[in-house]
Amino acid sequence: MLGGVVIGVPLVLALLGPLFAGEPDPRGMSFALGDGHWLGTDFVGRDVWQQVLHGGRPVVLTALAATALAYAVAVPLGLLSALTHRRWLEELLMRPLDVLLAVPSLLLILLVASVFEPGAVGLALLVAVVNIPDAARIVRAAAAEVAARPAVEALRMQGETWWRMAVGYVGRATLRTLAADAGVRLTGVLYLVATAAFLGVGVAPDAADWAVMVDRNRTGLAVQPWAVVVPALLIVALTTGSNLLFDAALDKRSTQKERRP
């Protein structure tokens, strides 16, 4: 319940905010809370509340897309590596990921961004790529334990398809581990997306984006704190709320299993 409330506010603002934000106001120089500006104006005179309404969608959609893309690649790689009996295939799948895992995520994003100028789609792809190695290793570790069970060997002897074994049995048995990882991973992805936007990667310098708002208005924090505090709190609520939500779902699932006869 608490996680839903915490994450609900930034999600509603991010997804529905642009529908009610209206057309951007012309730039002014007033930092007053009056004159229709609930949270004042930013460093170039744009309405802060309007920027908040516009600025959440890029962060949320990019983070969700990057997380989904990472799992879309990592889950098949991890399952294939855990279920294969061919050592060379496992090495071929996992060793390149280990090399990629050794490079700091933000450093890799900055290196690629220094050569290319990724937009929102490019940023989502970059963040997904740097999350694939770690996610694939977690999937493989969880699936390897399940793949060693006699039930999987029995399925092989019965001639079951790889799809039936990997998805129908091993994949379902690793869902709890994936759910636990998803909360932490989404938090990490949000951090990377926000940090990249803070550094100007994937977004325009004057874009309506929560992370960009924090970066561009931080020099005037003492004069106009709302332009920094509000978007920063919304990003924190997203990360904290996602963890609380996934933890609550896992606890509920565990309680239901314990109550079964």
Side-chain angles (χ1 to χ4, degrees):
M1 180 64 180
L2 179 60
V5 173
V6 173
I7 199 174
V9 174
L11 276 181
V12 169
L13 286 176
L15 300 179
L16 301 181
L19 300 178
F20 303 98
E23 293 296 325
D25 291 333
R27 296 183 178 185
M29 294 306 295
S30 172
F31 289 93
L33 295 179
D35 299 327
H37 302 300
W38 294 1
L39 299 177
T41 53
D42 64 6
F43 73 112
V44 291
R46 293 176 300 187
D47 184 82
V48 171
W49 176 242
Q50 190 177 61
Q51 292 293 299
V52 167
L53 292 177
H54 279 296
R57 186 175 288 183
V59 176
V60 172
L61 293 184
T62 302
L64 291 177
T67 304
L69 286 171
Y71 279 121
V73 177
V75 171
L77 285 178
L79 291 177
L80 181 59
S81 177
L83 286 167
T84 184
H85 283 173
R86 298 176 177 85
R87 183 68 179 178
W88 64 268
L89 180 57
E90 182 180 357
E91 293 291 325
L92 182 64
L93 292 173
M94 301 307 294
R95 295 297 78 81
L97 297 182
D98 291 342
V99 174
L100 188 60
L101 189 62
V103 183
S105 301
L106 188 57
L107 177 61
L108 183 60
I109 291 175
L110 292 176
L111 286 175
V112 175
S114 66
V115 180
F116 306 99
E117 293 185 4
V121 175
L123 180 58
L125 289 173
L126 279 175
V127 175
V129 167
V130 299
N131 275 274
I132 287 172
D134 186 48
R137 288 174 64 88
I138 290 175
V139 173
R140 181 193 174 280
E145 186 273 331
V146 181
R149 296 176 183 175
V152 177
E153 189 61 32
L155 290 173
R156 280 199 178 98
M157 294 177 65
Q158 292 174 6
E160 292 290 352
T161 63
W162 183 89
W163 180 264
R164 173 76 182 276
M165 289 188 296
V167 179
Y169 184 78
V170 178
R172 289 181 62 184
T174 60
L175 283 178
R176 181 176 174 82
T177 301
L178 287 178
D181 177 67
V184 178
R185 190 156 310 281
L186 183 58
T187 300
V189 168
L190 282 166
Y191 160 77
L192 276 178
V193 170
T195 304
F198 182 86
L199 297 174
V201 177
V203 295
D206 60 346
D209 183 283
W210 289 345
V212 174
M213 289 178 67
V214 174
D215 177 38
R216 295 296 178 262
N217 293 287
R218 57 192 170 87
T219 55
L221 181 61
V223 180
Q224 165 53 316
W226 301 115
V228 176
V229 172
V230 172
L233 286 178
L234 289 171
I235 293 174
V236 171
L238 272 175
T239 57
T240 305
S242 61
N243 269 324
L244 291 174
L245 204 60
F246 277 99
D247 289 346
L250 289 173
D251 290 341
K252 183 178 181 180
R253 185 178 177 85
S254 298
T255 303
Q256 290 175 345
K257 284 186 175 181
E258 291 174 359
R259 290 177 178 175
R260 289 176 185 173

